[in-house]
Amino acid sequence: MQAKDSNPPDGGYGWVVVVSAFMVMGFTVAVLKTFGLFFVEIQQHFDELASSTSWITSVTIVVFHLGAPVASSLCVQYTHRTVVITGGLLVFSGMALGFFGLNMGWMYATTGFLQGLGISFSWTPAISIVSHYFSKKRALANAIASAGECAFAFMFGPFFQWLISQYGWKGALLIIGGIQLNICVCGVLMRPLPSSCLLKARHCDTETPPGNSASSRDKEDKSSIMHKTFNWMLVRQPEFVIYAIFGILAAMSFFVPPLFLVPLSYSLGIEESWTSSLLSILAMVDFGGRLLCGWYANLHVTKTIHLLAMTITLMSTSLMLLPLANNYLSLAIFTGFYGFFFGTTVAIHITVLADVVGMPEFDSALGLFMLIRSIGGFLGPPLAGLIVDIAGDYRAGFYMAGATLALSTGFLIFLDRLQQRKKRGNKTRTKPEKSTLPYPSLHILKHQ
């Protein structure tokens, strides 16, 4: 067996894993994005304030992010398949128990906490295992998998509205929970890579020079250990910390445009029917952006971190221009630009994380990155809301989001410079010393 056999397959059964991850994205994040359709129904049923009702979604988002390190830790101790199946059961339990709708506290615990934990246990390992199955085509595979969120969100909107009209919000929750049980089927299809068998084969069959066999075996042993333990010490690595800061700043702006897009359109006098179409446009161009960027990144024409910096810059520019819209057509055009570049960013930012930390540490890095990034997700909307209140104009929220994204680009550039400097330093240290003597034998005698 050759050493190359231990590389990711970059195809074959990996595409089954990608399709399974595509479905998981749809049954988790797409449901979360369209859960706002239940907002008014639940608020009226319990006769609660909007702020109290909104905590259901807030709890889901919080637990989704906080549960990521736990999900990653379970992945490295057990298998991605096991964690995804567990997540599917938790998601179903949250929706099925929410069907009883005893009180608002019950909704926080079921459709909030259990749903959020289930999404975390499903989403995190699904994204992770795709990166394990692909190397050269990792960007394309991640883009296709993440596109499930857009495709299902586009379909779930009208479908959920129909379910609520036919079966009420409680019956709709139960039916959706049953549909989400398909996450378990997707989990079963996520066959683990036989890394332990490949590692053993490399120990026995790979030919290595006599002087390097011990060091090679030590590196393989270290790699094996890193796959079995969750590495919390990544927070001490400068490259990971810089990328995590980028994640915080980016997340501060990611949740702002969808929050203020509808109110901004109302302030421009656009009718409600036309306003809802903006969300459909957003979903469609997001889907196209993910697939196109994944395809382009797969060509390896541009370094992935450079491509991410470009997409972030273009998204920041589109957010700065969006407030200039004064009618439906101009708002739809700027929304399309923002949605497209948002899709390109989401398609490759996980791939860049894998490039930054390396695949042996990827499971740990993904969990920690999600946890740290949640800070931006929590701070962004309230900060934007405060700025909007002070300015008295919804446009201020978009300017804030664009400026934050522009700032995050600086950390990507800094990270790229740091990686290049480190790479040059490694080359300098490993460069062999040139002999000034005419014969190698004399060079050896000189050192004796």
Side-chain angles (χ1 to χ4, degrees), residues 396-407:
F398 292 93
Y399 289 130
M400 170 265 177
T404 307
L405 276 178
L407 180 60

Side-chain angles (χ1 to χ4, degrees), residues 204-218:
C204 301
D205 300 334
T206 303
E207 295 182 4
T208 55
N212 295 337
S213 59
S215 61
S216 178
R217 189 170 294 117
D218 288 342

Side-chain angles (χ1 to χ4, degrees), residues 385-436:
L386 178 63
I387 293 174
V388 167
D389 289 338
I390 294 174
D393 191 342
Y394 288 111
R395 294 178 175 88
F398 292 93
Y399 289 130
M400 170 265 177
T404 307
L405 276 178
L407 180 60
S408 73
T409 308
F411 284 90
L412 286 178
I413 296 172
F414 179 54
L415 173 60
D416 182 51
R417 295 287 177 85
L418 180 63
Q419 287 180 317
Q420 290 180 1
R421 189 189 312 164
K422 188 175 181 180
K423 189 176 181 180
R424 287 195 299 266
N426 290 337
K427 286 183 178 180
T428 303
R429 285 193 296 270
T430 56
K431 188 176 181 180
E433 181 183 354
K434 292 183 179 180
S435 173
T436 57

Side-chain angles (χ1 to χ4, degrees), residues 3 72 87 92 139 173 198 232 264 281 288 297 342 384 397 400 404 409:
S72 294
F92 166 74
L173 284 181
L198 290 169
W232 293 94
L264 176 62
I281 293 173
F342 176 81
M400 170 265 177
T404 307
T409 308

Side-chain angles (χ1 to χ4, degrees), residues 282-345:
L282 198 61
M284 286 189 292
V285 295
D286 184 356
F287 180 82
R290 296 187 194 213
L291 294 183
L292 184 60
C293 187
W295 168 80
Y296 179 77
N298 189 59
L299 299 178
H300 302 287
V301 176
T302 307
K303 192 176 178 181
T304 315
I305 192 171
H306 294 168
L307 183 59
L308 180 61
M310 285 192 297
T311 61
I312 288 289
T313 301
L314 290 169
M315 182 163 61
S316 171
T317 304
S318 64
L319 283 176
M320 291 291 195
L321 294 175
L322 192 146
L324 299 178
N326 55 11
N327 53 44
Y328 173 79
L329 180 60
S330 58
L331 186 60
I333 292 173
F334 287 126
T335 298
F337 277 116
Y338 160 72
F340 179 82
F341 293 124
F342 176 81
T344 60
T345 299

Side-chain angles (χ1 to χ4, degrees), residues 269-280:
I270 299 173
E271 295 180 5
E272 184 176 349
S273 57
W274 286 102
T275 298
S276 61
S277 68
L278 291 174
L279 300 178
S280 299

Side-chain angles (χ1 to χ4, degrees), residues 74-104:
L74 292 173
C75 285
V76 296
Q77 292 182 38
Y78 301 101
T79 63
H80 296 79
R81 170 188 282 171
T82 302
V83 182
V84 172
I85 293 173
T86 303
L89 294 174
L90 287 170
V91 165
F92 166 74
S93 300
M95 286 296 205
L97 291 174
F99 164 79
F100 294 101
L102 301 181
N103 50 53
M104 193 59 73

